[in-house]
Every structure is written in structure tokens, then in C-alpha cells.
Amino acid sequence: GAGVSQSPSNKVTEKGKDVELRCDPISGHTALYWYRQSLGQGLEFLIYFQGNSAPDKSGLPSDRFSAERTGGSVSTLTIQRTQQEDSAVYLCASSLDRGRIYYGYTFGSGTRLTVV
Amino acid sequence: EDQVTQSPEALRLQEGESSSLNCSYTVSGLRGLFWYRQDPGKGPEFLFTLYSAGEEKEKERLKATLTKKESFLHITAPKPEDSATYLCAAVSGYGQNFVFGPGTRLSVLP
């Protein structure tokens, strides 16, 4: 596609429920990143995928968070047993490959998650 | 630990009133310093990459500069459409991922 597509754009869920957030990167982009943006905070790195390599999960805040990327394209971020502190905007970004980050990532518009 | 801070948190300017935004960074072996613009409800949009102290980049009314400890985003004669949150991010020599600052929320009044 022309840009990075994320869905849903907004999600309201009850505390304790599981949620799935989807990211469809730009076609041909092998690097995919997930970030979390909380009010008044900088973007927080969560996880990184590069081609068929094992993902860098070093930013995931707890074992309730997981992500997968199928076929080197679409990625799903799953949050289990959601807590109120999980409320944030979840941003996905892609780039041609890790070496191209110096040209900047392309970000999606994000999913705003609200846990009530 | 790599860290990026930005000031001010928010800035209100009159149209045409030039100013600068500050980004201070503490990273091990800076590989790149990035500026992004973020509009409400949108993802960040890439503006510039700076690699070494003394480097400058320009785009329309924006000019980014870099020293060994800071980067500045200078806005010359801003227009209301320049209103946005400006994010600064750094990549260190040992890390592979961006460390973002909290951003400066710029409002340009007509």
C-alpha cells in the first residue's frame, strides 16, 4: 500500500480483556517496529522485526505483550489481560531495512487503546 | 542509559515570530539524531537526520543543527500550518533503536 496501515484506529476495552492490534507495513519494507506513545511521554520502543530474523523483543514491558509477523508482512501486537496503564497510542513503523533507518521510518497513524 | 529530553514542553508563537526548539541527548556514540513532526491523530513524519556535530539541514522554514550535546530546530517566520508536535530521537552506537524525546508542542497563531 501507499503507507503504513493500522487497525483499528480506536479501541476501547474492559480491564482484563485481550486485544489485538494490526499493522500492515509498506509493501517491500522488511523492517517493522512497534512503539507505544503515552500522554506526555516519548515514544517507547516495544519490538522490532527484520525479515526472517528473530524479533528484538527487548522493549516489551511484560509477558502480557506479544507480537508476531506473518509472511514478513502484516504484524499483530497482542496484549493479554489488559490493564489501565496499557492505555496509550500504539504506533507501527516500517522501513526498507534496518540500514535504511537513517532515511526515517514511515509511521502509521496508530491505534488509540483505552482500557476502562 | 541513553536519554533524550526536549524543551520547552509547549511553545506558542505569533505568525512570523521565529524561535528555536531544543533537544538534549545523552547517548553512547551517537549514530544519528532525528527530527519528526507529529500532527494530532497522526503518526510522526520524518523531517531530518543529522550525523555529526556542526551539521545543518534545512527544509522550507525549518533548519536543524547539531552539537555534541544538543540539537536545535530553528523555525523562521512560522505559519499556522507549522503547528504540530516536534519530536527528537537519537540512535546510539550500541543501540539499534530510536530513543525519542517527549516532544515540543508548537502552536503558531495567525
Side-chain angles (χ1 to χ4, degrees):
Chain A
V4 177
S5 178
Q6 291 188 247
S7 61
S9 55
N10 282 285
K11 175 74 176 179
V12 179
T13 190
E14 292 182 354
K15 178 181 173 181
K17 295 285 181 70
D18 297 352
V19 294
E20 285 190 351
L21 313 180
R22 176 188 168 105
C23 172
D24 198 343
I26 292 173
S27 179
H29 279 195
T30 59
L32 186 148
Y33 307 79
W34 282 97
Y35 281 84
R36 176 168 71 176
Q37 187 172 33
S38 303
L39 193 63
Q41 306 284 325
L43 274 73
E44 175 190 5
F45 166 74
L46 296 177
I47 189 169
Y48 159 73
F49 295 90
Q50 172 64 59
N52 296 319
S53 301
D56 176 355
K57 304 179 182 180
S58 60
L60 294 178
S62 78
D63 59 8
R64 296 187 295 104
F65 287 73
S66 63
E68 63 177 20
R69 188 177 184 190
T70 54
S73 180
V74 173
S75 177
T76 302
L77 177 68
T78 301
I79 309 173
Q80 296 178 310
R81 305 181 302 282
T82 51
Q83 303 294 314
Q84 288 187 327
E85 60 262 30
D86 299 335
S87 296
V89 175
Y90 290 81
L91 289 161
C92 174
S94 70
S95 65
L96 278 171
D97 57 51
R98 175 162 261 179
R100 306 293 182 105
I101 66 172
Y102 298 100
Y103 298 98
Y105 300 153
T106 300
F107 280 89
S109 293
T111 294
R112 180 175 297 279
L113 175 66
T114 304
V115 182
V116 297
Chain B
E1 182 183 348
D2 296 339
Q3 191 170 19
V4 175
T5 59
Q6 292 186 248
S7 63
E9 183 177 326
L11 180 63
R12 293 179 65 160
L13 300 173
Q14 291 295 133
E15 184 171 2
E17 179 187 1
S18 301
S19 188
S20 296
L21 313 182
N22 174 266
C23 169
S24 295
Y25 62 91
T26 306
V27 301
S28 303
L30 182 75
R31 291 174 60 198
L33 188 291
F34 301 77
W35 283 97
Y36 282 82
R37 169 190 171 128
Q38 187 173 24
D39 293 298
K42 299 287 182 65
E45 176 187 347
F46 173 74
L47 292 174
F48 304 109
T49 309
L50 301 166
Y51 296 99
S52 57
E55 188 174 1
E56 298 183 354
K57 294 272 180 74
E58 286 190 65
K59 181 179 181 179
E60 295 180 354
R61 295 176 293 283
L62 301 176
K63 183 168 80 172
T65 61
L66 182 66
T67 72
K68 290 186 177 180
K69 295 183 179 180
E70 298 174 302
S71 178
F72 293 92
L73 185 65
H74 307 277
I75 303 176
T76 303
K79 298 182 177 182
E81 53 262 42
D82 295 323
S83 298
T85 295
Y86 290 86
L87 300 170
C88 168
V91 176
S92 73
Y94 300 103
Q96 292 291 330
N97 303 308
F98 286 67
V99 176
F100 280 87
T104 292
R105 190 171 63 254
L106 174 67
S107 300
V108 182
L109 307 176

